[in-house]
Amino acid sequence: MKMRKLMAAGLCVMMAAGLTACGGGSKDGGSSDAGASKGEAGSGSLTINIWDANQQAGIQEICDDWTAESGTKVKVEVIDWDNYWTLLESAASGGTLADVFWMHSDYAQIYMENDILLDLTDYVKDVDLDQYYEDILAIYTRDDGKIYGLPKDHDTIALLYNKTLFDEAGVEYPTAEWTYEDMYEAAKAITENTPDDTYGYAINTSNDQDSWYNFIYAYGGNVVNTTKDDTAIDSPEGKAGMEMVRKLLTVSTPQAVVAETKTDALFLSGKAAMITQGSWMINTFYTAENAADYAWAMLPYADLNGDGKCQKEERQSCYNGLGWSAAANTSNPEAAADLIKYLCSEPAQIKQAELGVTMAGIPAISEPFAAAFDGMDVSAFDQIEAEGTLYARPGTRNSGVWNNAMKQAGGFLDAWQNPEDPAVMEQACDNVAKMIRDAIAAE
């Protein structure tokens, strides 16, 4: 398939930038020999590419249900996160895309603009599009109204904690009444009352959705506004959120350690008492050896008016959602579109939730997902949706340009690595705001 220069240039920037794992993704696991591959023409088979090995078995089971109805076989292949987008770009250039694959909010716009994805508009005329999360459907709908993906899922963020470490430090467990100040005090106490290599909190600052974005929004700021033409990251509210991040970093696992070991591994090895994590990662901790020690709580809130009560806007969780898309040049577009419609139908979405694959792309399918993890209470993910405020993961047409830069030197990196000086964080907010505004102006 011939590619426009815009596509090649835009994707190269984004591949170099990398992408936060979110909305159903994981940076761990995956098949080392899987690659972007095309379904055999006329063979009655389709190939699916995903990046999260935790979801492979469940998705394959749902696809097998569709195969039983359609007669078309489906093979679900996993490509690890670090290679997924590089291979997808190469496949798009070489015409060897898988038939059906996951699409992400940071990439959808450029792929849609350049006709790499199958236009599903006519295929989904009989689908009730109003049943999906509006923000997620919008990600995969082009400005001209054409649809290039249907919502696979949605996700929210919660606080995961290790009861054993809390007990060891004599600290009470998190509750729905916790403010971010309470979280700081607990992290500080655990850091001070456990061995030197153990900390109260670990935050992977390279993962924005499940960590520091939520502080900014809880304190009243934003990374990108809803009209996608400005940022409030340098506003007093945005700076207040990042100041709380800085404060927590002073009692948390050093970023040099996090960069080497990652927050999930630190938590699983008992070296971090708390992390914030997305619903797509529940199974990692549910199946862990020490799962009985782990529990989930809602994200804390920012008590902005000091009344000791959580107003809805003071507790914020970033949410995102993947889309099921197909290759524009798939040899079997009718089957690919039909499979996508099936995967995004209510029965398949319910089964996806029941299997614990991930939360649904259709609202109100929450009970089956919560019940999938017998013995582990994961209701915090639904509670924050019901009682808090969800905001769509902030992005612009080419988010990769600024999303990576703001996490590097000259952006937030210096403040994250040296959190003792509030002035460094304040300056970083100003620097990042300029990066975002400059990137928006150039789009």
Side-chain angles (χ1 to χ4, degrees):
M1 179 180 297
K2 187 175 181 181
M3 305 268 296
R4 300 175 190 172
K5 289 183 180 179
L6 174 62
M7 177 67 176
L11 284 179
C12 285
V13 168
M14 296 174 82
M15 298 309 148
L19 183 66
T20 302
C22 59
S26 170
K27 288 191 176 181
D28 300 318
S31 170
S32 60
D33 60 353
S37 58
K38 189 178 178 64
E40 299 173 21
S43 66
S45 65
L46 296 174
T47 299
I48 285 182
N49 281 172
I50 67 174
W51 63 69
D52 186 358
N54 287 326
Q55 299 190 37
Q56 184 179 22
I59 291 174
Q60 185 67 66
E61 183 175 336
I62 296 169
C63 288
D64 290 344
D65 293 341
W66 177 79
T67 296
E69 296 181 5
S70 68
T72 303
K73 295 181 179 180
V74 179
K75 181 180 181 182
V76 180
E77 295 180 344
V78 179
I79 303 173
D80 68 272
W81 176 263
D82 291 333
N83 291 311
Y84 185 90
W85 298 102
T86 302
L87 289 173
L88 199 63
E89 179 197 9
S90 300
S93 301
T96 56
L97 281 170
D99 298 285
V100 176
F101 45 87
W102 285 352
M103 185 48 55
H104 189 281
S105 56
D106 274 1
Y107 287 81
Q109 187 66 33
I110 287 181
Y111 273 86
M112 291 190 298
E113 285 178 2
N114 290 274
D115 301 320
I116 303 304
L117 308 179
L118 179 67
D119 181 358
L120 298 174
T121 309
D122 289 338
Y123 294 104
V124 300
K125 284 183 177 178
D126 58 343
V127 175
D128 177 14
L129 300 178
D130 291 335
Q131 69 183 312
Y132 300 114
Y133 283 90
E134 182 179 358
D135 289 328
I136 298 173
L137 181 64
I139 294 170
Y140 307 106
T141 303
R142 206 163 67 177
D143 291 342
D144 59 5
K146 292 185 176 181
I147 297 168
Y148 290 87
L150 290 182
K152 171 195 174 290
D153 56 30
H154 86 289
D155 50 58
T156 59
I157 313 301
L159 176 66
L160 179 65
Y161 62 97
N162 185 322
K163 293 180 287 185
T164 297
L165 289 178
F166 271 74
D167 293 342
E168 183 180 334
V171 177
E172 293 186 3
Y173 301 154
T175 70
E177 285 69 48
W178 256 29
T179 66
Y180 278 111
E181 287 289 346
D182 293 326
M183 183 178 175
Y184 165 76
E185 293 296 339
K188 182 174 183 291
I190 293 170
T191 296
E192 292 175 349
N193 292 287
T194 53
D196 289 344
D197 62 348
T198 304
Y199 293 85
Y201 181 51
I203 176 172
N204 187 352
T205 50
S206 66
N207 289 352
D208 44 46
Q209 179 188 354
D210 56 26
S211 61
W212 53 276
Y213 271 8
N214 302 303
F215 290 73
I216 292 173
Y217 283 79
Y219 278 83
N222 65 60
V223 178
V224 175
N225 62 14
T226 55
T227 53
K228 302 181 186 297
D229 59 6
D230 200 6
T231 178
I233 211 165
D234 59 342
S235 67
E237 295 81 7
K239 288 182 175 179
M242 290 308 295
E243 167 59 17
M244 178 51 68
V245 173
R246 181 205 67 79
K247 189 174 174 180
L248 265 165
L249 282 168
T250 64
V251 295
S252 299
T253 308
Q255 286 298 288
V257 176
V258 171
E260 181 178 344
T261 309
K262 304 304 181 186
T263 54
D264 294 343
L266 288 166
F267 184 87
L268 289 167
S269 62
K271 300 301 181 184
M274 292 182 286
I275 59 173
T276 46
Q277 188 52 273
S279 51
W280 63 89
M281 290 295 289
I282 294 174
N283 199 54
T284 296
F285 306 101
Y286 179 68
T287 58
E289 181 180 355
N290 297 317
D293 293 337
Y294 307 153
W296 298 91
M298 277 200 292
L299 288 176
Y301 72 97
D303 191 12
L304 300 180
N305 62 7
D307 68 351
K309 299 178 181 179
C310 180
Q311 277 68 51
K312 188 172 184 179
E313 66 275 8
E314 294 176 332
R315 192 193 319 268
Q316 299 262 351
S317 172
C318 186
Y319 91 110
N320 198 18
L322 302 185
W324 279 115
S325 295
N329 67 341
T330 174
S331 59
N332 199 342
E334 290 80 10
D338 192 66
L339 174 58
I340 289 173
K341 288 167 61 176
Y342 182 83
L343 289 167
C344 299
S345 68
E346 184 172 349
Q349 294 263 301
I350 290 174
K351 184 164 185 177
Q352 174 179 255
E354 289 174 340
L355 293 173
V357 174
T358 187
M359 299 168 79
I362 300 174
I365 302 177
S366 56
E367 289 185 11
F369 182 76
F373 303 97
D374 185 37
M376 177 177 277
D377 182 0
V378 299
S379 61
F381 292 99
D382 290 323
Q383 281 182 284
I384 200 164
E385 185 169 347
E387 301 177 20
T389 301
L390 296 187
Y391 64 93
R393 185 169 184 267
T396 61
R397 176 182 167 275
N398 195 354
S399 302
V401 171
W402 53 264
N403 187 277
N404 182 63
M406 70 180 180
K407 300 169 187 174
Q408 306 302 318
F412 283 125
L413 185 63
D414 294 339
W416 289 334
Q417 292 182 336
N418 303 284
E420 300 298 334
D421 189 351
V424 176
M425 178 61 80
E426 184 174 9
Q427 182 62 52
C429 290
D430 293 332
N431 295 348
V432 168
K434 184 177 187 305
M435 290 178 185
I436 296 173
R437 291 186 181 115
D438 288 348
I440 291 173
E443 289 183 346

